[in-house]
Amino acid sequence: MPRRVIELTVWALCLIAAAARADYREHPEARAFIDEMVEDEGFEREPLTAWLGEAQRQDSILEAIARPAERTRTWAEYRPIFVQPLRVERGVEFWQENRDAFQRAEQELGVPAEVILAIIGVETHYGRITGSHRVIDALSTLAFDYPPRAPFFRKELKQYFILMREHEQNPLAFKGSYAGAMGYGQFMPSSYRHYAIDFDGDGFADIWNNPTDAIGSVANYFAEHGWQRDGLVAVRARASGEVERGDEKDWNRIDPPQHSVGDWNERGLSPIFELPADMPANALWLEGDHGEEFWLVFHNFYVITRYNRSHLYALAVDHLSREIKTAMEKQL
């Protein structure tokens, strides 16, 4: 048989196999998952099997998650994606519409309104783009047909079913991102169960349709991860002469601060305004619009990376929050 015919035959068989796996009741790993949920979490087998029978494999999700990550972008390329006039303008509008909720979040949880706004603005453009995939389709596809991260998504699928049971909701009814993130702040199911709060007191933490609950939940996420009230996020730094690069692992970290402002001063990097020499800080060395940029980043920067493990994401949130705050102050 010619090689080309063999290749086409194999591809056709793969498509047939994929179609056969579209009904996740018959997927071997899904069957094992059902057994686990019944034995460990006390679920009834029949409804769980029916829900997974309704779940549909989505090849578009597999294609989306396999795309190159943002780390291929420079800061000059990444920043304008999120820090733009329209996002600032709509952030101010969202603040005006929900001013009382933001004020409560600041007072009770210690997280500034502009930071909460920046997160919701980056994640979903203030609720305008929350995802069009059914959560059960996204999580099932990735849990059973995406081997590189299948264990993670199986855990999230488990958390999703538990969440739906806790709130007596239909697992087939909710939509989110291609990765199964949900609502204004794009919480994964495990994050919902740990950090989402009923901020308006109606008995249900609705992060999909209720901006008050979404605002409180994002603030609670940051508070639970150690946000420091009135703490700095990032400060631009100057290079005095040639900066001692040292170990490249020292730069662009998403860990808690490993050095101090004084350490960076000794390596030729100083903040644009005076800070305590013993203040813990990491440093960013980025390619900006006009060449190299240096930043000193602090504990609250690290907290933002708990939301998304990217130094570019955290810095974009910080920059967007600053521009939103400036625009908000003009409205007062």
Side-chain angles (χ1 to χ4, degrees):
M1 183 180 295
R3 180 177 178 179
R4 180 60 175 165
V5 174
I6 294 174
E7 290 176 347
L8 291 173
T9 301
V10 171
W11 176 244
L13 290 173
C14 288
L15 289 177
I16 293 170
R21 291 197 301 271
D23 183 343
Y24 280 110
R25 290 174 302 185
E26 303 303 319
H27 195 294
E29 292 186 19
R31 291 201 299 268
F33 174 84
I34 293 171
D35 291 340
E36 177 184 335
M37 295 294 284
V38 170
E39 294 170 10
D40 297 347
E41 303 298 336
F43 275 80
E44 295 292 332
R45 185 177 298 276
E46 289 74 16
L48 195 61
T49 301
W51 288 324
L52 285 175
E54 291 290 328
Q56 299 176 7
R57 170 188 162 122
Q58 300 288 338
D59 288 336
S60 62
I61 290 173
L62 297 173
E63 293 166 4
I65 204 165
R67 290 177 191 139
E70 69 187 31
R71 62 178 173 269
T72 61
R73 297 182 188 272
T74 66
W75 172 234
E77 295 166 336
Y78 188 86
R79 185 182 187 278
I81 297 172
F82 300 110
V83 187
Q84 52 188 234
L86 181 60
R87 212 174 293 252
V88 173
E89 177 185 332
R90 287 179 171 170
V92 173
E93 291 174 0
F94 192 69
W95 169 70
Q96 291 173 329
E97 292 165 359
N98 301 279
R99 190 179 305 200
D100 290 345
F102 281 111
Q103 185 175 15
R104 282 184 52 219
E106 287 188 333
Q107 292 173 345
E108 297 175 15
L109 297 164
V111 184
E114 65 268 18
V115 173
I116 305 169
L117 280 160
I119 289 290
I120 296 175
V122 166
E123 291 292 338
T124 63
H125 213 112
Y126 313 104
R128 288 174 172 80
I129 308 171
T130 57
S132 58
H133 296 282
R134 287 197 310 175
V135 174
I136 195 169
D137 292 340
L139 293 178
S140 297
T141 297
L142 296 171
F144 305 127
D145 282 323
Y146 185 61
R149 297 190 64 194
F152 169 80
F153 286 106
R154 277 197 291 273
K155 290 178 182 177
E156 291 298 334
L157 182 60
K158 174 181 176 180
Q159 293 294 312
Y160 181 65
F161 280 124
I162 295 173
L163 171 63
M164 293 293 103
R165 180 175 66 183
E166 288 173 341
H167 292 286
E168 299 180 346
Q169 300 292 318
N170 178 3
L172 306 178
F174 291 88
K175 292 185 177 181
S177 75
Y178 69 82
M182 305 175 293
Y184 281 85
Q186 293 291 276
F187 277 23
M188 294 297 288
S190 60
S191 291
Y192 181 107
R193 293 193 66 228
H194 282 95
Y195 307 112
I197 58 176
D198 172 19
F199 207 46
D200 68 354
D202 68 355
F204 177 45
D206 182 1
I207 64 171
W208 294 270
N209 304 300
N210 186 329
T212 299
D213 285 352
I215 290 163
S217 296
V218 171
N220 188 55
Y221 186 101
F222 278 91
E224 291 290 327
H225 282 82
W227 182 269
Q228 295 176 349
R229 189 186 294 262
D230 300 323
L232 292 173
V233 174
V235 170
R236 188 73 180 264
R238 297 189 186 95
S240 53
E242 186 172 345
V243 177
E244 180 189 336
R245 181 180 287 271
D247 188 342
E248 289 193 6
K249 292 181 181 179
D250 281 346
W251 299 91
N252 302 347
R253 299 180 71 103
I254 53 173
D255 303 316
Q258 303 293 307
H259 300 285
S260 69
V261 170
D263 293 334
W264 292 108
N265 284 339
E266 292 177 3
R267 294 174 63 168
L269 202 61
S270 58
I272 59 173
F273 55 81
E274 188 173 349
L275 293 171
D278 61 352
M279 186 174 181
N282 284 337
L284 307 181
W285 186 329
L286 305 173
E287 183 183 334
D289 289 331
H290 306 290
E292 292 178 336
E293 282 187 19
F294 298 98
W295 293 82
L296 292 181
V297 297
F298 310 101
H299 175 79
N300 282 348
F301 183 91
Y302 166 70
V303 173
I304 296 174
T305 66
R306 299 307 85 198
Y307 210 95
N308 183 310
R309 292 179 59 81
S310 162
H311 64 281
L312 296 182
Y313 175 95
L315 195 59
V317 166
D318 179 51
H319 281 213
L320 180 59
S321 74
R322 296 183 197 201
E323 296 208 8
I324 290 173
K325 182 177 182 179
T326 299
M328 285 164 54
E329 289 172 346
K330 293 178 181 178
Q331 302 294 318
L332 297 176

